Amino acid sequence: MRRHSFVSLIALLVAVSATCLSCNGSGRQRSLLPDDDPNWYRSAVFYELFPRSFRDSDGDGIGDLAGIREKLSYLDDLGISAVWLNPIYPTPFFDSGYDVAGYREINPEYGTMEDFDNLLESAHRAGIRVILDLVFNHTSDEHPWFVESRSSLDNPKRDWYQWADPPFDYECFNPMNFQFGLERWTLDPVTGQHYFHHFRPQMPDLNFYNPEMREALLDVVRFWLYKGVDGFRLDVGHMYFEGTEGCEHLPETHDFHRELRTLVDLFPSRAMVGEISGPPPDVLSYLGNGTNELHMVFNFPLVTMIYPSIWTGDRWCLEIGLDRSHFSKPPGGQMANILGNHDFFRPDGLLFGDSGRIKLAATLLMTLPGTPFVYYGEEVGMANGTATVVDYRDAARTPMQWDGSPGGGFTEGTPWIPLSPNWETHNVAVEEGDPASILSHYRKLIQLRKQSEALQSDHASFIDPGSRSVLALVRGEGESAIVVLTNLKKSMVEGIFDLSEVPWPEGEICNLLGEDGSSVILNDETRGHYPYSLKPHGTMVLAPCP
Ligand code: GLC
């Protein structure tokens, strides 16, 4: 009898270990995604999505997790390999969810933890990875940690936030953050002390000098990693530590990023991208030595140069942007390219609703070196909204435009914020069937990027196209290199460029974009002065014909 229970125990242990193995040793559910692909984020096309505005599945006017799940096949068709969800946690919504009131819970307006698990599982089944926003610089003042911390001077969590009496040793006012108010210290009547906040008074900053608090944050990271999320976007990752030594980019903040990376690397195939503001060298410094801090940082140094290049039709700004980002990063580090996000005005507004320019911006996003992040709705040319619920940034947070119905296909109820003014003309239903639409352009470019190892590669070098309005980049190396020629101007341009540096064999050259190709055969004579002609805002992606 005893022997029998011993055998059962062994059988049980074997079954449990087998189950664990099928979870990849990290608790992750089985999926179609390979688990041994640590570099997946380099070839991925990401999609940033504001959950409140993507798809409302229950008609209350607020987007939710079940709604996102309904739209996975749309994302899959578009060619998206990973989504970044803006905060999905409980929040009093003073900062649109970036005031988090519980790091391990789901905002009940968006659903339940079960809804999240279902979304994650379905996304993985569809081959789409999911990364979450980690907002670690601050919490909401309704977060239980702050509720405890403020309750008394001797509460065990008192030191998890920054409490002081005037005069304060540091102020840390940054004029860029004017929308959060002018004061950085707020008096709390409960104990008569002030607490520090980089952002709104409802968003107290955590005290990163407290090791117990840091450990609690690492536990949050473990919680989501064990759940199987594929990584994180780190909110204001340069602001964690502040004090008399400075307000941003402190060495201790880098130490914490290294600790985070060590933890995340224990789990296979996960990646982090940081929102880091500041001068380009500071932004790049969060890539560490290329392998020991963040996997990617958002390419703010480049995006601020993309628009001026498009406005002026001159590649100069773009070259500077690339020099300060991609060409200056440590080997192994990766730039995350964007045209916009939930904090900026939409490309449609910045490019005056000009669809040629909007498509050109998309072409650059998909052909420049770095991992592209599409912000939801960019792919149909959504306009800025005109209503404000929280602050001016709501312009870029209006409901996704699925069709021309009154709720835009986003909701059957009343949307929490009105749709943007162009929803009837710029939506998925209208654009899907139109080969000349912005959506079709995105689809084509994303497919091209996903099929081209050269475009996914880190390699890029300039060639001189003889005209300042053309950006000519060699992407990839050797015979499989491709040449991307982009006309930044709204008029036709013709020129001659030198292909001597590109080791292509003699023969016919094709345009992989399938538009007008080139009828000139590459040979010893043409190699040094190969003619091209580009339509207004047009692009050719050249490679030897197969
Ligand atoms: C980041 C977010 C922004 C938020 C701020 C404070 O910049 O992108 O939306 O307001 O952090 O959390």
Side-chain angles (χ1 to χ4, degrees):
M1 188 64 190
R2 234 187 228 167
R3 193 182 142 80
H4 179 72
S5 17
F6 179 71
V7 170
S8 313
L9 181 67
I10 298 285
L12 181 71
L13 285 177
V14 169
V16 169
S17 345
T19 314
C20 282
L21 282 177
S22 74
C23 301
N24 322 317
S26 62
R28 183 132 73 156
Q29 290 153 343
R30 263 198 179 287
S31 76
L32 294 182
L33 293 165
D35 273 306
D36 52 355
D37 182 8
N39 285 316
W40 63 272
Y41 61 91
R42 297 178 193 276
S43 54
V45 177
F46 280 74
Y47 192 89
E48 179 195 352
L49 177 167
F50 192 64
R52 199 178 193 81
S53 289
F54 197 59
R55 164 72 189 146
D56 165 23
S57 71
D58 56 10
D60 65 357
I62 295 175
D64 45 47
L65 298 177
I68 299 172
R69 193 163 164 228
E70 276 177 27
K71 295 296 184 184
L72 285 172
S73 59
Y74 165 78
L75 296 174
D76 192 27
D77 286 349
L78 184 58
I80 297 304
S81 16
V83 290
W84 150 29
L85 303 178
N86 293 128
I88 52 172
Y89 318 105
T91 172
F93 215 67
F94 281 101
D95 190 23
S96 304
Y98 283 91
D99 45 334
V100 176
Y103 283 126
R104 302 173 187 217
E105 289 89 39
I106 302 293
N107 181 347
E109 291 176 312
Y110 300 164
T112 60
M113 191 57 89
E114 197 186 341
D115 292 324
F116 177 77
D117 290 339
N118 291 338
L119 170 60
L120 189 62
E121 196 186 333
S122 303
H124 283 171
R125 275 191 208 291
I128 297 176
R129 299 183 193 258
V130 178
I131 69 167
L132 296 185
D133 227 310
L134 285 185
V135 190
F136 277 177
N137 174 68
H138 48 268
T139 66
S140 154
D141 60 354
E142 293 184 18
H143 193 291
W145 294 352
F146 188 71
V147 173
E148 272 195 58
S149 181
R150 81 186 329 176
S151 65
S152 71
L153 290 173
D154 56 3
N155 183 276
K157 290 205 172 53
R158 183 68 175 178
D159 188 47
W160 285 33
Y161 293 82
Q162 299 166 54
W163 295 97
D165 301 312
F168 306 112
D169 292 341
Y170 50 97
E171 280 292 340
C172 295
F173 178 73
N174 178 346
M176 295 286 283
N177 287 336
F178 68 94
Q179 73 267 33
F180 301 106
L182 303 180
E183 299 300 329
R184 291 297 169 259
W185 290 92
T186 291
L187 174 68
D188 185 35
V190 184
T191 54
Q193 276 202 308
H194 288 71
Y195 62 90
F196 173 79
H197 48 92
H198 266 298
F199 298 97
R200 286 183 209 286
Q202 295 87 351
M203 301 157 72
D205 265 51
L206 285 161
N207 176 17
F208 271 74
Y209 285 106
N210 183 303
E212 228 187 313
M213 190 290 291
R214 290 202 309 272
E215 195 46 44
L217 290 182
L218 294 176
D219 262 347
V220 171
V221 175
R222 285 186 196 100
F223 173 81
W224 291 108
L225 287 172
Y226 275 116
K227 258 200 176 297
V229 304
D230 299 279
F232 306 102
R233 176 262 186 188
L234 300 179
D235 190 66
V236 290
H238 54 296
M239 286 184 159
Y240 293 165
F241 284 82
E242 58 270 303
T244 46
E245 301 300 309
C247 298
E248 297 178 356
H249 308 295
L250 292 189
E252 292 89 335
T253 296
H254 285 279
D255 294 341
F256 185 69
H257 279 289
R258 281 191 286 274
E259 211 176 334
L260 263 178
R261 176 67 181 255
T262 306
L263 169 58
V264 168
D265 279 352
L266 293 176
F267 294 75
S269 306
R270 316 295 164 101
M272 293 184 288
V273 55
E275 182 211 23
I276 309 290
S277 307
D282 283 334
V283 172
L284 298 183
S285 69
Y286 290 81
L287 295 170
N289 66 9
T291 56
N292 67 350
E293 292 194 35
L294 290 163
H295 300 76
M296 296 183 276
V297 288
F298 282 115
N299 203 341
F300 296 123
L302 178 66
V303 67
T304 44
M305 293 296 180
I306 285 182
Y307 288 99
S309 261
I310 299 179
W311 294 328
T312 56
D314 189 305
R315 67 167 191 269
W316 185 64
C317 290
L318 262 173
E319 285 172 346
I320 295 181
L322 285 170
D323 274 340
R324 290 179 181 167
S325 57
H326 181 77
F327 292 118
S328 303
K329 72 181 172 60
Q334 174 87 348
M335 302 310 296
N337 293 336
I338 54 168
L339 295 177
N341 67 22
H342 63 287
D343 290 329
F344 293 122
F345 291 117
R346 285 192 174 272
D348 172 82
L350 296 171
L351 299 172
F352 326 113
D354 176 339
S355 61
R357 287 196 168 102
I358 294 171
K359 288 182 193 167
L360 166 63
T363 307
L364 293 170
L365 180 67
M366 293 303 159
T367 56
L368 291 177
T371 296
F373 278 63
V374 178
Y375 182 49
Y376 83 98
E378 234 164 51
E379 74 277 22
V380 292
M382 265 171 70
N384 288 314
T386 50
T388 300
V389 172
V390 174
D391 61 46
Y392 73 92
R393 294 171 297 170
D394 287 342
R397 298 169 183 179
T398 58
M400 176 67 184
Q401 298 171 184
W402 297 105
D403 61 38
S405 67
F410 160 70
T411 183
E412 279 70 58
T414 309
W416 70 277
I417 189 169
L419 284 111
S420 95
N422 74 355
W423 100 94
E424 281 165 309
T425 50
H426 289 70
N427 61 58
V428 175
V430 163
E431 295 190 30
E432 218 154 29
D434 174 4
S437 68
I438 298 173
L439 180 59
S440 300
H441 185 75
Y442 263 89
R443 282 222 167 105
K444 188 166 63 181
L445 264 299
I446 293 175
Q447 289 315 326
L448 176 73
R449 182 166 182 112
K450 289 185 75 179
Q451 284 156 12
S452 164
E453 274 182 31
L455 284 180
Q456 291 165 20
S457 80
D458 213 27
H459 189 270
S461 57
F462 295 117
I463 44 178
D464 182 6
S467 159
R468 297 207 53 85
S469 61
V470 175
L471 181 76
L473 273 184
V474 182
R475 301 295 321 281
E477 285 173 295
E479 286 195 9
S480 58
I482 61 174
V483 172
V484 185
L485 287 175
T486 309
N487 180 5
L488 303 167
K489 255 190 1 196
K490 209 183 172 72
S491 52
M492 185 93 182
V493 58
E494 290 186 343
I496 284 177
F497 66 114
D498 186 352
L499 281 175
S500 316
E501 299 292 308
V502 188
W504 287 342
E506 290 198 352
E508 210 185 330
I509 301 298
C510 278
N511 179 6
L512 301 184
L513 271 180
E515 290 160 3
D516 314 335
S518 162
S519 52
V520 181
I521 301 291
L522 184 71
N523 56 33
D524 283 350
E525 238 173 84
T526 56
R527 202 175 281 279
H529 45 273
Y530 195 86
Y532 66 85
S533 111
L534 287 165
K535 291 184 185 155
H537 294 147
T539 298
M540 294 207 292
V541 179
L542 301 178
C545 296

